[in-house]
């Protein structure tokens, strides 16, 4: 269409290139919008800056999750499914584009989009960067200018219609997700699918750690979340024991015991990991702590110590034979 449509937003012009279908989608916090976009300079050549099709994947944003280029939510909210539209946006809306583009490009390259970024507001981060790492984006940072966005809207999904990544959840949603993930992990353990179970436990821990980061350490809110974290970490470590990832178990149990040095189950799992990597002294010390902290586990400790002793004796015999073979002179010499 040749006619230019003005949105009720200062500094924005819209031109519909291909009409969409149905009514305007109803966007709400948590809705996921999937679309392709092309970003062009407002110059004679209409120089292309970014093209999601060339990157090989459509763009997705979650409504209400503080996407750095807020104008995009406004633009997309004016579109119907299947519509292709061109938007001219004045400089007041495009000042953050260089940072947004930098992150998208790094993701497409398989790199961390936040690497080197300080935990500050968007404009603060802008001044922190001496360079984005891309010459054309550095130019946009130095001289903000109007940009043209050509967008094709594919779909809008309500929050309940798709599995949301944990980063996109609010506090209440994260808390609600934790018991579900815990239960799914337990179900997978019963099926001996330990890697998949570990992933569920880990995702639940990440939810809780994100929430903990907003609480003051060792105060009531932090402690309540920590009480949920601990059993999940222990379950995760049990899965790693089953998978033979002993050094990871040592790392996580040691970190846990630095906060909770009376947790018998953490000592027990760490002892088993020590035993598996032939750290006999450390394993025995941890098993003894378990028996002291929780007498009900004494029988299990006794069994583990017996197995450890048998394994170590067998290892010593094998080592002795190996060393004897190294120092024996070949016959005939």
């Amino acid at each position: 269409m040749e006619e230019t449509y003005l949105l009720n937003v200062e500094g924005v012009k819209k031109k519909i290139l291909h009409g969409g279908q149905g009514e305007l989608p109803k966007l709400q916090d948590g809705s996921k919008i999937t679309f392709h976009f092309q970003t062009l300079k407002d110059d004679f050549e209409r120089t292309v800056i970014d093209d999601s099709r060339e990157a090989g994947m459509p763009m997705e944003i979650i409504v209400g999750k503080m996407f750095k280029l807020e104008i995009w939510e406004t633009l997309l909210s004016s579109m119907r499914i299947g519509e292709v539209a061109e938007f001219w946006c004045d400089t007041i809306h495009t000042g953050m584009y260089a940072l947004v583009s930098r992150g998208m490009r790094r993701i497409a390259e398989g790199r961390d989009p936040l690497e080197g970024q300080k935990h500050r507001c968007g404009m603060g981060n802008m001044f922190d960067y001496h360079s984005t790492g891309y010459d054309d984006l550095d130019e946009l940072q130095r001289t903000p200018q109007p940009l043209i966005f050509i967008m094709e809207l594919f779909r809008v999904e309500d929050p309940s219609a798709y599995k949301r990544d944990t980063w996109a959840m609010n506090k209440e949603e994260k808390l609600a997700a934790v018991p579900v993930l815990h239960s799914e992990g337990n179900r997978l353990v019963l099926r001996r699918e330990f890697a998949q179970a570990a992933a569920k436990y880990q995702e639940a821990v990440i939810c809780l750690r994100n929430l903990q980061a907003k609480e003051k350490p060792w105060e009531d809110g932090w402690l309540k979340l920590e009480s949920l974290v601990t059993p999940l970490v222990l379950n995760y470590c049990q899965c790693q024991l089953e998978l033979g990832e002993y050094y990871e178990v040592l790392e996580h149990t040691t970190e846990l015991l630095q906060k909770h040095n009376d947790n018998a189950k953490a000592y027990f799992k760490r002892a088993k990991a020590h035993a598996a990597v032939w750290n006999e002294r450390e394993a025995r010390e941890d098993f003894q702590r378990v028996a002291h902290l929780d007498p009900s586990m004494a029988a299990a400790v006794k069994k583990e110590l017996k197995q450890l002793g048998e394994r170590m004796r067998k290892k010593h015999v094998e080592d002795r034979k190996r060393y004897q073979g190294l120092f024996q002179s070949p016959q005939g010499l």
Side-chain angles (χ1 to χ4, degrees):
M1 297 184 179
E2 293 299 324
E3 183 177 359
T4 297
Y5 294 83
L6 296 177
L7 294 174
N8 295 322
V9 181
E10 181 184 358
V12 175
K13 297 178 183 178
K14 175 181 179 181
K15 182 191 297 183
I16 297 176
L17 305 179
H18 178 78
Q21 301 173 349
E23 301 295 324
L24 289 174
K26 294 180 180 179
L27 302 183
Q28 55 182 303
D29 279 1
S31 294
K32 181 165 72 173
I33 310 175
T34 305
F35 60 101
H36 266 308
F37 75 94
Q38 192 177 49
T39 304
L40 305 91
K41 287 185 178 180
D42 185 22
D43 57 13
F44 181 78
E45 295 83 6
R46 288 170 61 95
T47 305
V48 176
I49 301 172
D50 290 305
D51 188 334
S52 61
R53 285 188 172 81
E54 287 189 4
M57 64 180 71
M59 182 70 182
E60 294 180 348
I61 63 174
I62 306 297
V63 174
K65 294 304 174 184
M66 298 180 68
F67 184 67
K68 287 180 179 177
L69 205 65
E70 295 179 9
I71 192 63
W72 274 15
E73 285 189 17
T74 303
L75 305 182
L76 291 162
S77 69
S78 75
M79 299 178 68
R80 291 173 169 79
I81 304 300
E83 180 178 325
V84 181
E86 176 178 310
F87 299 91
W88 177 91
C89 294
D90 204 350
T91 309
I92 59 173
H93 300 298
T94 62
M96 293 299 298
Y97 185 78
L99 291 184
V100 172
S101 176
R102 174 185 185 270
M104 292 187 295
R105 292 183 186 186
R106 290 176 69 87
I107 290 171
E109 294 165 3
R111 300 160 66 192
D112 182 358
L114 300 179
E115 183 180 324
Q117 179 170 316
K118 298 181 181 179
H119 295 286
R120 297 175 55 186
C121 69
M123 290 304 293
N125 273 317
M126 203 166 182
F127 290 113
D128 283 332
Y129 292 130
H130 298 292
S131 171
T132 63
Y134 304 93
D135 291 341
D136 57 339
L137 300 183
D138 287 345
E139 179 191 347
L140 287 181
Q141 258 193 176
R142 287 191 298 268
T143 56
Q145 55 195 269
L147 294 174
I148 297 168
F149 302 112
I150 299 176
M151 295 178 161
E152 180 179 1
L153 179 61
F154 292 142
R155 59 182 174 273
V156 174
E157 298 170 88
D158 290 338
S160 60
Y162 67 95
K163 183 183 183 300
R164 301 177 67 187
D165 294 327
T166 52
W167 64 265
M169 296 179 180
N170 59 33
K171 178 179 179 179
E172 291 72 24
E173 290 167 336
K174 283 186 172 77
L175 287 172
V178 167
V180 175
L181 291 166
H182 197 159
S183 177
E184 290 176 352
N186 292 347
R187 177 178 57 81
L188 289 164
V189 166
L190 291 175
R191 293 165 54 179
R192 302 191 64 78
E193 297 178 15
F194 297 113
Q196 296 89 331
K200 297 294 182 182
Y201 296 137
Q202 185 178 46
E203 187 176 354
V205 169
I206 289 170
C207 282
L208 295 170
R209 292 297 190 208
N210 287 342
L211 295 174
Q212 262 191 324
K214 300 176 183 178
E215 302 285 346
K216 191 169 182 180
W218 301 105
E219 292 197 350
D220 287 346
W222 189 94
L223 288 170
K224 287 179 181 177
L225 293 168
E226 185 68 14
S227 69
L228 299 174
V229 167
T230 300
L232 288 163
V233 172
L234 291 173
N235 286 1
Y236 175 82
C237 287
Q238 183 59 42
C239 291
Q240 298 306 316
L241 282 173
E242 298 286 352
L243 294 168
E245 299 292 344
Y246 304 119
Y247 288 103
E248 186 164 359
V249 175
L250 292 175
E251 177 185 349
H252 288 288
T253 51
T254 298
E255 182 181 351
L256 187 60
L257 287 165
Q258 287 171 350
K259 299 176 185 175
H260 313 287
N261 63 4
D262 60 347
N263 192 302
K265 291 182 178 179
Y267 278 118
F268 189 78
K269 295 185 191 303
R270 189 171 74 171
K272 287 177 70 69
H274 275 310
V277 295
W278 308 106
N279 296 337
E280 182 180 11
R281 179 178 59 80
E282 293 87 347
R284 290 187 180 278
E285 288 177 356
D286 278 352
F287 279 133
Q288 288 167 4
R289 289 191 184 99
V290 173
H292 174 73
L293 290 168
D294 189 351
S296 70
M297 297 181 70
V301 167
K302 184 177 179 180
K303 178 181 177 181
E304 292 291 339
L305 286 171
K306 182 180 179 181
Q307 291 178 350
L308 175 61
E310 291 172 352
R311 289 181 69 240
M312 295 308 300
R313 281 192 294 274
K314 184 177 179 181
K315 182 177 186 296
H316 292 324
V317 170
E318 291 175 350
D319 288 346
R320 195 159 49 244
K321 289 179 178 178
R322 187 178 303 112
Y323 294 140
Q324 287 174 349
L326 287 174
F327 292 106
Q328 279 182 344
S329 298
Q331 290 183 354
L333 295 181

